[in-house]
Amino acid sequence: RKAPFGGSTDIALNGTHLTLQGVDMHHDVGALGAAVNYRAIERQLQILKGMGVNAIRTSHNPPAPEFLDITDRLGILVMEEAFDTWTQSKTTNDYSLYFNDWAQRDIQDMVRRDRNHPSVIIWSIGNEINGGTTTIAQNLKNWVLALDKSRPVTWASNKMSGPHYTSVDHDIAGNLDLVGYNYAPYAGDYDADHADHPTWKLFGSEVAAAVRSRGIY
């Protein structure tokens, strides 16, 4: 079913029907900045849970360990994301400079560190990747599965159709367990793509932002 992290979707959790109401969260805590502050993170998540949120996508990097300790305790499910870039840069001096040398170690460190957190239900290998290849995607998936085969592997793409469309994103999607769409129908059409690829499990990995109105990109 579509749209867990920007809307809702239905899953079975321990044999019980559950509708996920999800949001994306960056690692900072507003005016307090990016340094880890346990109570600030806990307060954020308590407020979100009070609003009905029961699922978080970590955008676009692994969270602090304290974050997952809190999601475990509060019963909030997590899609944990590894990278915002692979080999092609988005900004000067970003992770693309280090990807070839560090990607395997970093993604496996993430999985090894966090695989025993029950709140983590999905691994994501990237967000809106520029210049992605099926070889890199398969390597990342294999590195994850070498350490944990119990969770699905996905990514978040804004290039499934529309002005940023690339056929390679469709090729990569076909090799993932779940297919994350950022900003459909701008970046893709759930119904049309599911009709063309009936085995794909589609979901909205990013479908609205706080600075926009619902239904308007």
Side-chain angles (χ1 to χ4, degrees), residues 34-101:
V36 175
N37 182 315
Y38 188 94
R39 176 56 192 143
I41 297 171
E42 181 182 51
R43 178 177 177 272
Q44 272 190 329
L45 292 171
Q46 286 172 333
I47 291 171
L48 287 168
K49 186 173 181 179
M51 294 166 56
V53 169
N54 61 7
I56 301 287
R57 171 186 171 213
T58 67
S59 319
H60 305 289
N61 49 266
E66 293 85 351
F67 179 95
L68 296 177
D69 291 339
I70 297 169
T71 55
D72 287 348
R73 179 163 51 83
L74 295 181
I76 297 174
L77 304 176
V78 176
M79 169 178 157
E80 185 167 352
E81 197 154 76
F83 305 117
D84 194 31
T85 61
W86 293 351
T87 58
Q88 185 171 319
S89 67
K90 293 182 179 179
T91 61
T92 303
N93 297 323
D94 65 14
Y95 187 78
S96 64
L97 298 175
Y98 312 103
F99 183 89
N100 286 331
D101 294 328

Side-chain angles (χ1 to χ4, degrees), residues 9-205:
T9 194
D10 298 333
I11 67 168
L13 179 64
N14 297 328
T16 301
H17 172 269
L18 178 69
T19 297
L20 295 184
Q21 299 284 356
V23 298
D24 298 347
M25 282 186 68
H26 287 276
H27 65 283
D28 65 289
V29 282
L32 298 181
V36 175
N37 182 315
Y38 188 94
R39 176 56 192 143
I41 297 171
E42 181 182 51
R43 178 177 177 272
Q44 272 190 329
L45 292 171
Q46 286 172 333
I47 291 171
L48 287 168
K49 186 173 181 179
M51 294 166 56
V53 169
N54 61 7
I56 301 287
R57 171 186 171 213
T58 67
S59 319
H60 305 289
N61 49 266
E66 293 85 351
F67 179 95
L68 296 177
D69 291 339
I70 297 169
T71 55
D72 287 348
R73 179 163 51 83
L74 295 181
I76 297 174
L77 304 176
V78 176
M79 169 178 157
E80 185 167 352
E81 197 154 76
F83 305 117
D84 194 31
T85 61
W86 293 351
T87 58
Q88 185 171 319
S89 67
K90 293 182 179 179
T91 61
T92 303
N93 297 323
D94 65 14
Y95 187 78
S96 64
L97 298 175
Y98 312 103
F99 183 89
N100 286 331
D101 294 328
W102 285 91
Q104 179 177 1
R105 177 170 176 175
D106 285 343
I107 199 168
Q108 290 192 316
D109 280 351
M110 177 188 80
V111 175
R112 189 178 292 109
R113 187 196 73 174
D114 297 336
R115 61 189 172 184
N116 290 326
H117 283 281
S119 59
V120 176
I121 63 169
I122 302 169
W123 302 115
S124 171
I125 61 175
N127 169 68
E128 299 185 0
I129 299 300
N130 297 325
T133 70
T134 55
T135 298
I136 294 174
Q138 191 62 54
N139 285 339
L140 291 170
K141 181 179 178 181
N142 290 343
W143 293 334
V144 170
L145 295 178
L147 296 175
D148 178 29
K149 295 181 173 64
S150 67
R151 297 170 175 90
V153 177
T154 189
W155 75 341
S157 173
N158 64 336
K159 303 176 182 66
M160 299 300 284
S161 69
H164 302 300
Y165 169 82
T166 66
S167 60
V168 71
D169 276 41
H170 269 250
D171 294 337
I172 291 171
N175 291 325
L176 298 176
D177 303 311
L178 306 174
V179 184
Y181 279 64
N182 284 10
Y183 302 108
Y186 164 79
D189 184 88
Y190 297 115
D191 293 331
D193 284 1
H194 190 261
D196 291 338
H197 307 279
T199 62
W200 285 10
K201 298 177 179 65
L202 314 180
F203 72 99
S205 43

